[in-house]
Amino acid sequence: MTVPVGSKRLLAFIALNYRAAVPRALVAGSLWPEASEQGANTNLRSALSRLQGLGRQALNICPAEVRLAPEAEVDLHRARSLAQHILDPRVPAEELDLNAATVDQLSADLLPGWYDEWMLPEAEQWRQLRLHALEALTGNFIDTKEFAGAVSAAHAAVQADPLRESSQALLIRAHLAEGNRSEALYGFERYEQHLHDELGLRPTPRLRRLVSELRRSRAGNGSL
């Protein structure tokens, strides 16, 4: 089913508000900020009228407000809850059933390619939450010797923010934990070069210490 752009934006806006009832005036003003009040309200009525099938069923539409239907589910809400449970020290890791699918749930950006002002704070909040959750997940996988999962989770975090040193450090730790010293060193050197090219900075002493033995070994005998 093809959803018109205006209706798609409407669904996303209401979904991000979870179960809260959103006044129609707020919806219209947020989605069409450059239009007059009358024009924005007309656009909202048009977007609502064009909703068909599941899109229509996902909303409870009232004269003064719009909200998500009780039976509608939003992937972001499930992923956010998962991330919060991973980061909650009161929740034992064994209760979370962590696996490769967990990494997939935490790997997607929120509405990639969208730049509407109303969603950018939500997108950044989700990015930060999932980065912390992916890093915690990497540490859990390293501790339980699930190295493939650790590398996958660390790679997802690095892909989300290639300049974030804590994610790079965990990826290096994951490679070292499974005995892949060459990948650990090459990963560090790629990050070192990228950080210099983008920001003119060097990795912190803590990260350099993580691979210092590998660098000395290579300098001493020309191999790892």
Side-chain angles (χ1 to χ4, degrees), residues 1-178:
M1 178 183 67
T2 301
V3 180
V5 173
S7 300
K8 188 181 297 185
R9 293 170 68 243
L10 168 63
L11 284 170
F13 184 85
I14 299 302
L16 289 181
N17 283 276
Y18 195 42
R19 302 297 177 187
V22 188
R24 281 187 178 232
L26 177 59
V27 179
S30 299
L31 294 182
W32 295 278
E34 297 180 359
S36 65
E37 181 178 350
Q38 181 179 354
N41 287 327
T42 298
N43 289 337
L44 175 58
R45 287 194 296 270
S46 176
L48 288 169
S49 69
R50 293 180 180 180
L51 281 174
Q52 302 292 330
L54 293 176
R56 185 78 176 187
Q57 296 171 29
L59 300 180
N60 281 347
I61 302 169
C62 302
E65 61 191 29
V66 184
R67 71 165 69 216
L68 200 65
E71 63 274 14
E73 294 188 3
V74 180
D75 290 346
L76 173 65
H77 302 159
R78 291 197 300 269
R80 183 182 289 162
S81 177
L82 171 63
Q84 290 166 342
H85 278 84
I86 290 173
L87 293 169
D88 189 342
R90 297 167 299 180
V91 179
E94 56 269 19
E95 291 185 10
L96 295 174
D97 189 26
L98 303 177
N99 51 48
T102 308
V103 178
D104 291 340
Q105 287 183 268
L106 299 173
S107 294
D109 288 326
L110 174 63
L111 300 175
W114 291 38
Y115 302 101
D116 302 71
E117 288 189 11
W118 53 266
M119 58 79 55
L120 291 178
E122 290 280 353
E124 177 58 19
Q125 183 183 47
W126 167 237
R127 191 180 75 89
Q128 289 293 332
L129 177 61
R130 74 184 185 90
L131 278 169
H132 283 93
L134 284 166
E135 290 178 348
L137 186 59
T138 302
N140 288 336
F141 281 145
I142 291 174
D143 291 343
T144 56
K145 302 187 185 308
E146 298 178 63
F147 301 128
V151 171
S152 178
H155 267 303
V158 166
Q159 185 174 15
D161 188 346
L163 295 175
R164 184 180 173 95
E165 183 165 308
S166 53
S167 298
Q168 293 282 353
L170 280 163
L171 179 57
I172 291 169
R173 282 185 53 206
H175 286 315
L176 290 174
E178 64 177 347

